[in-house]
Amino acid sequence: MKNFFGVLKYVQGYWRYAWLNIFFNILSVLFNLVSLFSVISLVNILFTTKDADFRAFVDKGEPVTGMSLSQLLDWINYKISVYVLSFPDLDTGRLRALLWICGGAAVMIFFKSLFRYLAMYFLAVIRNGVVRDLRNKMYRKALSLPLSWFSNERKGDIMSRMTADAQEVEWSIMSSLEMIFREPV
């Protein structure tokens, strides 16, 4: 954990981008859930073939919407059943409901992907800025070292530390920020 906070100290100048990353990750997760609900509704319509099944949802009355999954699914099924039964022919109503749900699912998946892209975009700004700052700091340090230090050290070792180790820090920052901000949501 100590190493993790040591890596996070390099992110200090980029908190605005970190908050944007968090915001777009939350939106991405929300649209992912909504697109999942639309797929569940799509499957319900595909396998509900009788008029009585749709009428059963309507006869219960409009359910109370709450924060539970079952209440939300009951409300969605009620609204779809009302829409399907509003047409004189059951097949026409099912087809139109399927078209609406497929279109809605496509829109939700588009927004989910867009927000995921924006979250990764702002994470790339953080990653590139931190790596740039780290490399500038290493460069200034290398310029301030005495010439005798360079004659005592192996050149490949110095180059390896300045390139590969900086890249490891880059990947650790990216995975750490993803782990902290996206996974809990």
Side-chain angles (χ1 to χ4, degrees):
M1 199 65 166
K2 180 182 171 187
N3 293 337
F4 174 70
F5 289 119
V7 169
L8 274 184
K9 73 178 178 182
Y10 292 109
V11 183
Q12 279 182 338
Y14 303 98
W15 283 112
R16 180 177 59 154
Y17 297 109
W19 288 114
L20 286 170
N21 175 273
I22 295 167
F23 175 71
F24 286 122
N25 271 327
I26 290 171
L27 287 177
S28 173
V29 168
L30 289 176
F31 276 95
N32 192 14
L33 289 174
V34 171
S35 64
L36 179 67
F37 284 130
S38 65
V39 170
I40 292 171
S41 300
L42 178 76
V43 170
N44 284 340
I45 288 180
L46 286 176
F47 293 115
T48 303
T49 56
K50 295 182 280 184
D51 186 27
D53 293 336
F54 288 110
R55 290 206 186 284
F57 283 113
V58 175
D59 290 341
K60 290 179 191 175
E62 186 168 356
V64 178
T65 57
M67 293 303 290
S68 75
L69 179 65
S70 63
Q71 289 175 333
L72 186 60
L73 286 174
D74 286 344
W75 183 79
I76 290 171
N77 287 331
Y78 171 78
K79 290 296 186 182
I80 290 172
S81 298
V82 168
Y83 182 75
V84 168
L85 293 175
S86 68
F87 292 95
D89 183 22
L90 181 66
D91 290 335
T92 304
R94 286 181 61 213
L95 180 64
R96 293 212 179 168
L98 283 174
L99 289 174
W100 275 103
I101 291 172
C102 289
V107 168
M108 295 303 147
I109 290 170
F110 170 77
F111 280 118
K112 175 193 72 147
S113 301
L114 175 70
F115 292 136
R116 179 75 180 130
Y117 170 78
L118 289 172
M120 294 305 292
Y121 175 81
F122 289 113
L123 187 64
V125 171
I126 296 168
R127 182 188 69 206
N128 291 335
V130 167
V131 169
R132 182 192 64 225
D133 295 345
L134 186 64
R135 287 185 177 158
N136 285 338
K137 189 175 179 180
M138 285 190 300
Y139 179 71
R140 285 191 298 274
K141 176 68 176 176
L143 286 179
S144 68
L145 290 172
L147 195 54
S148 62
W149 186 84
F150 289 103
S151 61
N152 293 337
E153 293 291 324
R154 294 188 311 225
K155 304 328 173 246
D157 189 38
I158 296 170
M159 289 174 41
S160 172
R161 286 186 187 180
M162 292 187 85
T163 56
D165 292 354
Q167 189 174 12
E168 284 299 318
V169 170
E170 172 186 357
W171 286 109
S172 67
I173 288 171
M174 192 165 159
S175 63
S176 299
L177 289 176
E178 278 288 305
M179 178 186 66
I180 286 177
F181 299 128
R182 185 169 189 266
E183 298 303 324
V185 177

